[in-house]
Amino acid sequence: MNQPINEREMIAYIAGKTKADSQAITLILKHEQTYINSAKANAKGEVDIDSDDLVDYVLSRRDVKLDELTVERILDAEMDYLMDNGLAGYVD
């Protein structure tokens, strides 16, 4: 499960699904990574990310000019890519 992510391939995948500009996608993913990196892990070392909180965080960044639906679509498409490639999954 620790294979590297092909960032160009992932951005192309997201752009194909969302029709968003690749620079906007890169910006959203950068802010997402900052949010995830600042999240605290639980006792098992897992980080639980609430998607609504993540979207709110990304939208609160001054350089993000996209609407909420577009940000959600970008993040959903990223998760689809990661799951399709066995790099992530949802926890119930």
Side-chain angles (χ1 to χ4, degrees):
M1 191 123 167
N2 264 353
Q3 71 188 70
I5 296 171
N6 182 332
E7 195 169 335
R8 272 195 225 147
E9 181 181 274
M10 182 173 68
I11 290 170
Y13 175 91
I14 295 168
K17 286 191 89 168
T18 65
K19 307 299 183 231
D21 174 76
S22 63
Q23 287 182 320
I25 294 167
T26 301
L27 179 65
I28 298 306
L29 297 180
K30 179 186 83 159
H31 287 309
E32 174 195 33
Q33 194 60 52
T34 300
Y35 180 85
I36 291 170
N37 289 345
S38 67
K40 303 288 182 234
N42 64 18
K44 295 179 184 175
E46 300 167 337
V47 177
D48 183 30
I49 302 296
D50 180 280
S51 60
D52 291 334
D53 291 344
L54 173 57
V55 170
D56 290 344
Y57 173 82
V58 170
L59 289 171
S60 73
R61 305 298 93 191
R62 284 189 201 162
D63 54 350
V64 174
K65 306 296 183 212
L66 300 173
D67 61 90
E68 183 175 356
L69 186 57
T70 303
V71 171
E72 287 176 356
R73 285 181 180 158
I74 289 170
L75 295 172
D76 288 345
E78 177 200 24
M79 191 61 170
D80 290 345
Y81 174 86
L82 294 173
M83 288 178 19
D84 288 351
N85 288 281
L87 300 168
Y90 287 104
V91 176
D92 292 329

Coordinates of all heavy atoms in Angstrom, one line a residue:
M1 N 0.8 -1.2 0.0 CA 0.0 0.0 0.0 C 0.9 1.3 0.0 O 0.3 2.4 0.0 CB -0.9 0.0 1.2 CG -2.0 1.0 1.2 SD -3.6 0.3 1.3 CE -4.5 1.7 1.7
N2 N 2.2 1.1 0.0 CA 3.0 2.3 0.0 C 3.7 2.6 -1.3 O 4.8 3.0 -1.4 CB 4.1 2.1 1.1 CG 3.8 2.7 2.4 OD1 2.8 3.4 2.5 ND2 4.6 2.5 3.4
Q3 N 3.0 2.3 -2.4 CA 3.5 2.7 -3.7 C 3.4 4.2 -3.9 O 2.5 4.8 -3.4 CB 2.9 1.9 -4.8 CG 1.4 2.3 -5.1 CD 0.7 1.3 -6.1 OE1 0.5 0.2 -5.7 NE2 0.5 1.8 -7.2
P4 N 4.3 4.8 -4.7 CA 4.3 6.2 -4.9 C 3.1 6.6 -5.8 O 2.7 5.9 -6.6 CB 5.6 6.5 -5.5 CG 6.1 5.3 -6.1 CD 5.5 4.2 -5.3
I5 N 2.7 7.8 -5.5 CA 1.6 8.4 -6.3 C 2.2 9.1 -7.6 O 3.1 9.9 -7.4 CB 0.7 9.4 -5.5 CG1 0.1 8.6 -4.4 CG2 -0.3 10.1 -6.4 CD1 -0.6 9.5 -3.4
N6 N 1.6 8.8 -8.7 CA 2.0 9.5 -9.9 C 1.2 10.8 -10.0 O 0.0 10.7 -10.4 CB 1.8 8.6 -11.2 CG 2.2 9.3 -12.4 OD1 2.2 10.5 -12.6 ND2 2.6 8.5 -13.4
E7 N 1.7 11.9 -9.5 CA 1.0 13.1 -9.4 C 0.4 13.6 -10.7 O -0.7 14.0 -10.8 CB 1.8 14.2 -8.7 CG 1.0 15.3 -8.2 CD 1.7 16.3 -7.3 OE1 2.7 15.8 -6.7 OE2 1.3 17.4 -7.2
R8 N 1.2 13.6 -11.8 CA 0.7 14.0 -13.1 C -0.5 13.2 -13.5 O -1.4 13.7 -14.1 CB 1.8 13.9 -14.1 CG 2.7 15.2 -14.2 CD 3.5 15.2 -15.4 NE 4.8 15.6 -15.0 CZ 5.9 15.2 -15.6 NH1 5.9 14.4 -16.5 NH2 7.1 15.7 -15.1
E9 N -0.4 11.9 -13.4 CA -1.4 11.0 -13.8 C -2.7 11.3 -13.0 O -3.8 11.3 -13.5 CB -1.0 9.5 -13.6 CG -2.0 8.5 -14.0 CD -1.5 7.1 -13.7 OE1 -0.8 6.5 -14.6 OE2 -1.8 6.6 -12.6
M10 N -2.5 11.5 -11.7 CA -3.6 11.8 -10.8 C -4.3 13.1 -11.2 O -5.5 13.2 -11.3 CB -3.2 11.8 -9.3 CG -4.4 12.0 -8.4 SD -3.9 11.9 -6.6 CE -2.9 13.3 -6.4
I11 N -3.5 14.1 -11.4 CA -4.1 15.4 -11.8 C -4.8 15.3 -13.1 O -5.9 15.9 -13.3 CB -3.0 16.5 -11.8 CG1 -2.6 16.8 -10.4 CG2 -3.5 17.8 -12.5 CD1 -1.3 17.7 -10.2
A12 N -4.3 14.6 -14.1 CA -4.9 14.4 -15.4 C -6.3 13.6 -15.2 O -7.3 13.9 -15.8 CB -4.0 13.6 -16.3
Y13 N -6.3 12.6 -14.3 CA -7.5 11.9 -14.0 C -8.5 12.8 -13.4 O -9.7 12.8 -13.8 CB -7.1 10.8 -13.0 CG -8.3 10.0 -12.5 CD1 -8.7 8.8 -13.1 CD2 -9.0 10.3 -11.3 CE1 -9.8 8.0 -12.7 CE2 -10.0 9.6 -10.8 CZ -10.4 8.4 -11.5 OH -11.5 7.7 -11.0
I14 N -8.1 13.6 -12.4 CA -9.1 14.5 -11.7 C -9.6 15.5 -12.8 O -10.8 15.8 -12.8 CB -8.4 15.2 -10.6 CG1 -8.0 14.2 -9.5 CG2 -9.3 16.4 -10.0 CD1 -7.1 14.8 -8.4
A15 N -8.7 16.1 -13.6 CA -9.1 17.0 -14.6 C -10.1 16.4 -15.6 O -11.1 17.1 -16.0 CB -7.9 17.6 -15.4
G16 N -9.9 15.2 -15.9 CA -10.8 14.5 -16.8 C -12.2 14.3 -16.2 O -13.2 14.4 -16.9
K17 N -12.3 14.0 -14.9 CA -13.5 13.8 -14.3 C -14.3 15.1 -13.9 O -15.5 15.1 -13.9 CB -13.3 13.0 -13.0 CG -13.1 11.5 -13.2 CD -13.1 10.7 -12.0 CE -14.6 10.3 -11.8 NZ -14.8 9.2 -10.8
T18 N -13.5 16.2 -13.6 CA -14.1 17.4 -13.1 C -14.1 18.6 -14.1 O -14.8 19.5 -13.9 CB -13.4 17.9 -11.8 OG1 -12.0 18.2 -12.2 CG2 -13.4 16.8 -10.8
K19 N -13.3 18.4 -15.1 CA -13.1 19.5 -16.1 C -12.5 20.8 -15.5 O -12.5 21.9 -16.0 CB -14.4 19.9 -16.8 CG -15.2 18.8 -17.4 CD -14.4 18.1 -18.5 CE -15.2 17.0 -19.1 NZ -14.5 15.7 -19.2
A20 N -11.9 20.6 -14.3 CA -11.2 21.7 -13.6 C -9.8 21.9 -14.2 O -9.2 21.0 -14.8 CB -11.1 21.4 -12.1
D21 N -9.3 23.1 -14.1 CA -8.0 23.5 -14.6 C -6.9 22.8 -13.7 O -7.1 22.7 -12.5 CB -7.9 25.0 -14.5 CG -6.5 25.5 -14.8 OD1 -6.1 25.5 -16.0 OD2 -5.8 25.8 -13.8
S22 N -5.9 22.3 -14.3 CA -4.8 21.5 -13.6 C -4.2 22.4 -12.5 O -3.8 21.9 -11.5 CB -3.8 20.9 -14.6 OG -3.1 22.0 -15.2
Q23 N -4.0 23.7 -12.8 CA -3.4 24.6 -11.7 C -4.3 24.7 -10.5 O -3.9 24.7 -9.4 CB -3.1 25.9 -12.3 CG -1.9 25.9 -13.3 CD -1.6 27.3 -13.8 OE1 -2.5 28.1 -14.0 NE2 -0.3 27.6 -13.9
A24 N -5.6 24.8 -10.8 CA -6.6 24.8 -9.7 C -6.6 23.5 -8.9 O -6.6 23.5 -7.7 CB -8.0 25.1 -10.2
I25 N -6.5 22.4 -9.6 CA -6.4 21.1 -8.9 C -5.2 21.0 -8.1 O -5.3 20.6 -6.9 CB -6.4 20.0 -10.0 CG1 -7.8 19.9 -10.7 CG2 -6.1 18.6 -9.3 CD1 -7.8 19.1 -11.9
T26 N -4.0 21.4 -8.6 CA -2.8 21.4 -7.8 C -2.9 22.2 -6.6 O -2.5 21.8 -5.5 CB -1.6 21.9 -8.7 OG1 -1.5 21.0 -9.9 CG2 -0.3 21.9 -8.0
L27 N -3.5 23.4 -6.7 CA -3.7 24.3 -5.5 C -4.6 23.6 -4.5 O -4.3 23.7 -3.3 CB -4.3 25.6 -6.0 CG -4.6 26.6 -4.9 CD1 -3.3 27.1 -4.3 CD2 -5.4 27.8 -5.5
I28 N -5.7 23.0 -4.9 CA -6.6 22.4 -4.0 C -5.9 21.2 -3.3 O -6.0 21.1 -2.0 CB -7.9 21.8 -4.7 CG1 -8.7 23.0 -5.3 CG2 -8.7 21.0 -3.7 CD1 -9.1 24.1 -4.4
L29 N -5.1 20.4 -4.0 CA -4.4 19.3 -3.4 C -3.3 19.8 -2.4 O -3.1 19.1 -1.4 CB -3.8 18.4 -4.5 CG -4.8 17.8 -5.4 CD1 -4.1 16.9 -6.5 CD2 -5.9 17.0 -4.7
K30 N -2.7 20.9 -2.7 CA -1.7 21.5 -1.8 C -2.3 21.9 -0.5 O -1.8 21.5 0.6 CB -1.0 22.7 -2.5 CG 0.0 23.4 -1.6 CD 0.6 24.6 -2.2 CE -0.4 25.7 -1.9 NZ 0.0 27.1 -1.9
H31 N -3.5 22.6 -0.6 CA -4.2 23.0 0.7 C -4.7 21.7 1.4 O -4.6 21.7 2.7 CB -5.3 23.9 0.4 CG -4.8 25.3 0.0 ND1 -3.9 26.0 0.7 CD2 -5.1 26.1 -1.1 CE1 -3.7 27.2 0.1 NE2 -4.4 27.2 -1.0
E32 N -5.1 20.7 0.7 CA -5.6 19.5 1.3 C -4.5 18.9 2.1 O -4.6 18.4 3.2 CB -6.1 18.5 0.3 CG -6.5 17.2 0.8 CD -6.7 16.1 -0.2 OE1 -6.0 16.2 -1.3 OE2 -7.5 15.2 0.0
Q33 N -3.3 18.8 1.5 CA -2.1 18.2 2.1 C -1.7 18.9 3.4 O -1.4 18.3 4.4 CB -0.9 18.1 1.2 CG 0.2 17.2 1.7 CD -0.3 15.8 1.8 OE1 -0.9 15.2 1.0 NE2 -0.1 15.2 3.0
T34 N -1.8 20.3 3.4 CA -1.5 21.1 4.5 C -2.5 20.7 5.7 O -2.1 20.6 6.8 CB -1.6 22.6 4.2 OG1 -0.6 22.8 3.2 CG2 -1.3 23.4 5.4
Y35 N -3.8 20.6 5.3 CA -4.8 20.3 6.3 C -4.5 18.9 6.9 O -4.6 18.7 8.1 CB -6.2 20.3 5.6 CG -7.3 20.0 6.6 CD1 -7.9 21.0 7.4 CD2 -7.8 18.7 6.6 CE1 -8.9 20.7 8.2 CE2 -8.9 18.4 7.5 CZ -9.4 19.4 8.3 OH -10.5 19.1 9.1
I36 N -4.3 17.9 6.1 CA -4.0 16.6 6.5 C -2.8 16.5 7.4 O -2.8 15.9 8.5 CB -3.9 15.6 5.3 CG1 -5.3 15.4 4.7 CG2 -3.3 14.2 5.8 CD1 -5.2 14.7 3.3
N37 N -1.7 17.2 7.0 CA -0.5 17.2 7.8 C -0.7 17.8 9.2 O 0.1 17.5 10.1 CB 0.6 18.0 7.0 CG 1.1 17.2 5.8 OD1 0.9 16.0 5.7 ND2 1.8 17.9 4.9
S38 N -1.6 18.7 9.3 CA -1.9 19.4 10.6 C -2.9 18.6 11.5 O -3.0 18.9 12.6 CB -2.3 20.8 10.4 OG -3.6 20.8 9.8
A39 N -3.5 17.6 10.9 CA -4.5 16.8 11.7 C -3.7 15.9 12.7 O -2.6 15.4 12.4 CB -5.3 15.9 10.7
K40 N -4.4 15.6 13.8 CA -3.8 14.8 14.8 C -4.2 13.3 14.7 O -5.3 13.0 14.4 CB -4.3 15.3 16.2 CG -4.0 16.8 16.5 CD -2.5 17.0 16.7 CE -2.2 18.4 17.0 NZ -1.2 19.0 16.2
A41 N -3.3 12.5 14.9 CA -3.5 11.0 14.8 C -4.1 10.5 16.1 O -3.9 11.1 17.1 CB -2.2 10.3 14.5
N42 N -4.9 9.5 16.0 CA -5.5 8.9 17.1 C -4.5 7.9 17.8 O -3.4 7.8 17.3 CB -6.9 8.2 16.8 CG -6.7 7.0 15.9 OD1 -5.7 6.5 15.6 ND2 -7.9 6.7 15.3
A43 N -5.0 7.1 18.8 CA -4.1 6.2 19.5 C -3.5 5.1 18.5 O -2.4 4.6 18.8 CB -4.8 5.6 20.6
K44 N -4.2 4.8 17.5 CA -3.8 3.8 16.5 C -2.8 4.4 15.5 O -2.4 3.7 14.6 CB -5.0 3.1 15.8 CG -5.9 2.3 16.8 CD -7.0 1.8 16.0 CE -8.0 1.0 16.9 NZ -9.2 0.6 16.1
G45 N -2.6 5.7 15.5 CA -1.8 6.3 14.5 C -2.5 6.7 13.3 O -1.9 7.1 12.3
E46 N -3.9 6.6 13.3 CA -4.7 6.9 12.1 C -5.2 8.3 12.2 O -5.4 8.9 13.3 CB -5.9 6.0 12.1 CG -5.5 4.5 11.9 CD -6.7 3.6 12.2 OE1 -7.7 3.9 12.8 OE2 -6.6 2.4 11.7
V47 N -5.3 9.0 11.1 CA -5.8 10.3 11.0 C -7.2 10.3 10.4 O -7.4 9.8 9.3 CB -4.9 11.2 10.2 CG1 -5.5 12.6 10.1 CG2 -3.5 11.3 10.8
D48 N -8.2 10.8 11.1 CA -9.6 10.8 10.6 C -9.9 12.2 10.1 O -9.8 13.2 10.8 CB -10.6 10.5 11.8 CG -12.0 10.4 11.3 OD1 -12.3 10.0 10.2 OD2 -12.9 10.7 12.1
I49 N -10.2 12.2 8.8 CA -10.4 13.5 8.1 C -11.9 13.6 7.8 O -12.5 12.8 7.1 CB -9.6 13.6 6.8 CG1 -8.1 13.5 7.1 CG2 -9.9 14.9 6.1 CD1 -7.5 14.5 7.9
D50 N -12.6 14.7 8.3 CA -13.9 14.9 8.0 C -14.0 15.7 6.7 O -13.4 16.8 6.6 CB -14.6 15.7 9.1 CG -16.0 16.0 8.8 OD1 -16.3 17.0 8.1 OD2 -16.9 15.3 9.4
S51 N -14.6 15.2 5.7 CA -14.6 15.8 4.4 C -15.2 17.2 4.4 O -14.8 18.1 3.7 CB -15.3 14.9 3.3 OG -16.6 14.7 3.7
D52 N -16.3 17.4 5.2 CA -16.9 18.8 5.2 C -15.9 19.8 5.8 O -15.8 20.9 5.3 CB -18.2 18.7 6.1 CG -19.3 18.0 5.4 OD1 -19.3 17.9 4.1 OD2 -20.2 17.5 6.1
D53 N -15.2 19.4 6.9 CA -14.2 20.2 7.5 C -13.1 20.5 6.5 O -12.6 21.7 6.4 CB -13.6 19.6 8.7 CG -14.6 19.6 9.9 OD1 -15.7 20.2 9.8 OD2 -14.4 18.8 10.8
L54 N -12.7 19.5 5.7 CA -11.6 19.7 4.7 C -12.0 20.7 3.7 O -11.3 21.6 3.3 CB -11.2 18.4 4.1 CG -10.3 18.4 2.9 CD1 -8.9 19.1 3.3 CD2 -10.0 17.0 2.4
V55 N -13.2 20.5 3.2 CA -13.7 21.5 2.1 C -13.8 22.9 2.7 O -13.4 23.8 2.0 CB -15.1 21.0 1.6 CG1 -15.8 22.1 0.7 CG2 -15.0 19.7 0.8
D56 N -14.3 23.0 3.9 CA -14.4 24.4 4.5 C -13.0 25.0 4.7 O -12.8 26.2 4.4 CB -15.0 24.3 5.9 CG -16.5 24.0 5.8 OD1 -17.1 24.1 4.8 OD2 -17.1 23.6 6.9
Y57 N -12.0 24.2 5.1 CA -10.6 24.7 5.2 C -10.1 25.1 3.8 O -9.6 26.2 3.7 CB -9.7 23.6 5.8 CG -8.3 23.9 5.7 CD1 -7.7 24.7 6.8 CD2 -7.4 23.6 4.7 CE1 -6.4 25.1 6.7 CE2 -6.1 23.9 4.7 CZ -5.6 24.7 5.7 OH -4.3 25.1 5.6
V58 N -10.3 24.3 2.8 CA -9.8 24.7 1.5 C -10.5 26.0 1.0 O -9.8 26.9 0.5 CB -10.0 23.5 0.5 CG1 -9.7 24.0 -0.9 CG2 -9.1 22.3 0.9
L59 N -11.8 26.0 1.2 CA -12.5 27.2 0.7 C -12.1 28.5 1.5 O -12.2 29.6 1.0 CB -14.0 27.0 0.8 CG -14.6 26.0 -0.2 CD1 -16.0 25.7 0.2 CD2 -14.5 26.6 -1.6
S60 N -11.6 28.3 2.7 CA -11.2 29.5 3.5 C -9.8 30.1 3.1 O -9.5 31.2 3.5 CB -11.1 29.1 5.0 OG -10.0 28.3 5.2
R61 N -9.1 29.4 2.2 CA -7.8 29.9 1.7 C -8.0 31.0 0.8 O -8.9 30.9 -0.1 CB -7.0 28.8 1.1 CG -6.7 27.5 1.9 CD -5.9 27.8 3.2 NE -6.9 28.0 4.3 CZ -6.5 28.5 5.5 NH1 -5.3 28.8 5.8 NH2 -7.4 28.6 6.4
R62 N -7.3 32.1 0.9 CA -7.5 33.3 0.1 C -7.3 33.1 -1.4 O -7.9 33.7 -2.3 CB -6.6 34.4 0.5 CG -7.0 35.1 1.8 CD -6.2 36.3 2.0 NE -6.3 36.6 3.4 CZ -5.4 37.4 4.1 NH1 -4.4 37.9 3.5 NH2 -5.6 37.6 5.4
D63 N -6.3 32.2 -1.8 CA -6.0 32.0 -3.2 C -6.9 31.0 -3.9 O -6.8 30.8 -5.1 CB -4.6 31.5 -3.3 CG -4.2 30.3 -2.5 OD1 -5.0 29.9 -1.7 OD2 -3.1 29.8 -2.7
V64 N -7.9 30.4 -3.2 CA -8.9 29.5 -3.8 C -10.1 30.3 -4.3 O -10.8 30.9 -3.5 CB -9.3 28.4 -2.8 CG1 -10.4 27.5 -3.4 CG2 -8.1 27.6 -2.4
K65 N -10.3 30.2 -5.6 CA -11.4 31.0 -6.2 C -12.5 30.1 -6.7 O -13.3 30.5 -7.5 CB -10.8 31.8 -7.4 CG -9.6 32.7 -7.0 CD -10.0 33.8 -6.1 CE -8.9 34.7 -5.8 NZ -8.9 35.2 -4.4
L66 N -12.4 28.8 -6.4 CA -13.4 27.9 -6.8 C -14.6 27.8 -5.9 O -14.5 28.2 -4.7 CB -12.8 26.5 -6.9 CG -11.6 26.4 -7.9 CD1 -11.0 25.0 -7.7 CD2 -12.0 26.6 -9.3
D67 N -15.7 27.4 -6.4 CA -16.9 27.2 -5.6 C -16.9 25.9 -4.8 O -16.1 25.0 -5.1 CB -18.2 27.3 -6.4 CG -18.2 26.2 -7.5 OD1 -18.8 25.1 -7.2 OD2 -17.7 26.4 -8.6
E68 N -17.7 25.7 -3.8 CA -17.7 24.6 -3.0 C -17.9 23.3 -3.8 O -17.2 22.3 -3.5 CB -18.8 24.7 -1.9 CG -18.9 23.6 -0.9 CD -19.9 23.8 0.2 OE1 -20.5 24.9 0.3 OE2 -20.0 22.9 1.0
L69 N -18.8 23.3 -4.7 CA -19.1 22.0 -5.5 C -17.9 21.6 -6.3 O -17.6 20.4 -6.3 CB -20.3 22.3 -6.4 CG -20.8 21.0 -7.1 CD1 -21.2 19.9 -6.2 CD2 -22.0 21.4 -8.0
T70 N -17.2 22.5 -6.9 CA -16.0 22.2 -7.6 C -14.9 21.6 -6.7 O -14.3 20.6 -7.1 CB -15.5 23.4 -8.4 OG1 -16.5 23.9 -9.2 CG2 -14.2 23.1 -9.2
V71 N -14.7 22.2 -5.6 CA -13.7 21.7 -4.6 C -14.1 20.3 -4.2 O -13.2 19.4 -4.1 CB -13.6 22.6 -3.4 CG1 -12.7 22.0 -2.3 CG2 -13.0 24.0 -3.8
E72 N -15.4 20.1 -3.9 CA -15.8 18.7 -3.5 C -15.6 17.7 -4.6 O -15.1 16.6 -4.4 CB -17.3 18.7 -3.1 CG -17.6 19.4 -1.8 CD -19.1 19.5 -1.5 OE1 -19.9 19.1 -2.3 OE2 -19.4 20.0 -0.4
R73 N -15.9 18.1 -5.8 CA -15.7 17.2 -7.0 C -14.2 16.8 -7.2 O -13.8 15.7 -7.5 CB -16.2 17.8 -8.3 CG -17.7 17.8 -8.3 CD -18.2 18.4 -9.6 NE -19.7 18.3 -9.7 CZ -20.4 19.1 -10.4 NH1 -19.9 20.0 -11.2 NH2 -21.7 19.0 -10.4
I74 N -13.3 17.8 -7.0 CA -11.9 17.6 -7.1 C -11.4 16.6 -6.0 O -10.7 15.6 -6.3 CB -11.1 18.9 -7.0 CG1 -11.3 19.7 -8.3 CG2 -9.6 18.6 -6.8 CD1 -10.8 21.2 -8.2
L75 N -11.8 16.8 -4.8 CA -11.4 15.9 -3.7 C -12.0 14.5 -3.9 O -11.4 13.5 -3.6 CB -11.8 16.6 -2.3 CG -11.1 17.9 -2.0 CD1 -11.7 18.5 -0.8 CD2 -9.6 17.6 -1.9
D76 N -13.3 14.5 -4.3 CA -13.9 13.2 -4.6 C -13.2 12.4 -5.7 O -13.0 11.2 -5.6 CB -15.4 13.3 -4.9 CG -16.3 13.7 -3.8 OD1 -15.8 13.6 -2.6 OD2 -17.4 14.1 -4.0
A77 N -12.8 13.1 -6.8 CA -12.1 12.5 -7.9 C -10.7 12.0 -7.4 O -10.3 11.0 -7.8 CB -12.0 13.5 -9.0
E78 N -10.1 12.8 -6.6 CA -8.8 12.4 -6.0 C -9.0 11.1 -5.2 O -8.2 10.1 -5.4 CB -8.2 13.4 -5.1 CG -6.9 13.0 -4.5 CD -6.5 13.8 -3.3 OE1 -7.4 14.3 -2.6 OE2 -5.3 13.8 -2.9
M79 N -10.0 11.0 -4.4 CA -10.2 9.8 -3.6 C -10.5 8.6 -4.5 O -10.0 7.5 -4.3 CB -11.4 10.0 -2.6 CG -11.5 8.9 -1.6 SD -10.0 8.8 -0.6 CE -10.5 7.7 0.6
D80 N -11.3 8.8 -5.6 CA -11.6 7.8 -6.6 C -10.3 7.2 -7.2 O -10.1 6.0 -7.3 CB -12.5 8.3 -7.7 CG -13.9 8.5 -7.2 OD1 -14.3 8.1 -6.1 OD2 -14.6 9.2 -8.0
Y81 N -9.4 8.2 -7.5 CA -8.1 7.8 -8.1 C -7.3 6.9 -7.1 O -6.8 5.9 -7.5 CB -7.3 9.0 -8.6 CG -5.9 8.7 -9.0 CD1 -5.7 8.4 -10.4 CD2 -4.9 8.7 -8.2 CE1 -4.4 8.0 -10.8 CE2 -3.6 8.4 -8.6 CZ -3.4 8.0 -9.9 OH -2.1 7.7 -10.3
L82 N -7.2 7.4 -5.9 CA -6.4 6.7 -4.9 C -7.0 5.3 -4.6 O -6.3 4.4 -4.4 CB -6.4 7.6 -3.6 CG -5.6 8.9 -3.7 CD1 -5.7 9.7 -2.5 CD2 -4.1 8.7 -4.1
M83 N -8.3 5.2 -4.5 CA -9.0 3.9 -4.3 C -8.8 3.0 -5.5 O -8.5 1.8 -5.3 CB -10.5 4.1 -3.9 CG -10.6 4.7 -2.5 SD -12.3 5.1 -1.9 CE -13.4 4.1 -2.9
D84 N -9.0 3.5 -6.7 CA -8.8 2.7 -7.9 C -7.4 2.1 -8.0 O -7.2 1.1 -8.5 CB -9.1 3.5 -9.2 CG -10.5 3.8 -9.4 OD1 -11.4 3.3 -8.6 OD2 -10.8 4.7 -10.2
N85 N -6.4 2.8 -7.4 CA -5.0 2.4 -7.4 C -4.6 1.7 -6.1 O -3.4 1.5 -5.9 CB -4.1 3.6 -7.8 CG -4.3 4.0 -9.2 OD1 -3.7 3.4 -10.1 ND2 -5.1 5.0 -9.5
G86 N -5.5 1.4 -5.3 CA -5.2 0.7 -4.0 C -4.4 1.5 -3.0 O -3.7 1.0 -2.2
L87 N -4.5 2.9 -3.1 CA -3.7 3.7 -2.2 C -4.5 4.3 -1.1 O -3.9 4.9 -0.2 CB -3.1 4.8 -3.1 CG -2.2 4.4 -4.2 CD1 -1.9 5.6 -5.1 CD2 -0.9 3.8 -3.6
A88 N -5.8 4.1 -1.1 CA -6.6 4.7 0.0 C -7.9 4.0 0.1 O -8.3 3.3 -0.8 CB -6.8 6.2 -0.2
G89 N -8.6 4.2 1.2 CA -10.0 3.6 1.3 C -10.7 4.4 2.4 O -10.1 5.2 3.1
Y90 N -12.0 4.1 2.5 CA -12.8 4.8 3.5 C -12.9 3.9 4.7 O -12.9 2.7 4.6 CB -14.2 5.0 3.0 CG -14.3 6.1 2.0 CD1 -14.5 5.8 0.6 CD2 -14.3 7.5 2.4 CE1 -14.5 6.9 -0.3 CE2 -14.3 8.5 1.4 CZ -14.5 8.2 0.1 OH -14.6 9.2 -0.8
V91 N -13.0 4.5 5.9 CA -13.1 3.8 7.2 C -14.5 4.1 7.7 O -14.9 5.3 7.8 CB -12.1 4.2 8.2 CG1 -12.3 3.5 9.5 CG2 -10.7 3.9 7.7
D92 N -15.3 3.1 8.0 CA -16.6 3.3 8.6 C -16.6 3.7 10.0 O -15.8 3.3 10.8 CB -17.5 2.1 8.4 CG -17.8 1.8 6.9 OD1 -17.8 2.8 6.2 OD2 -18.0 0.7 6.5

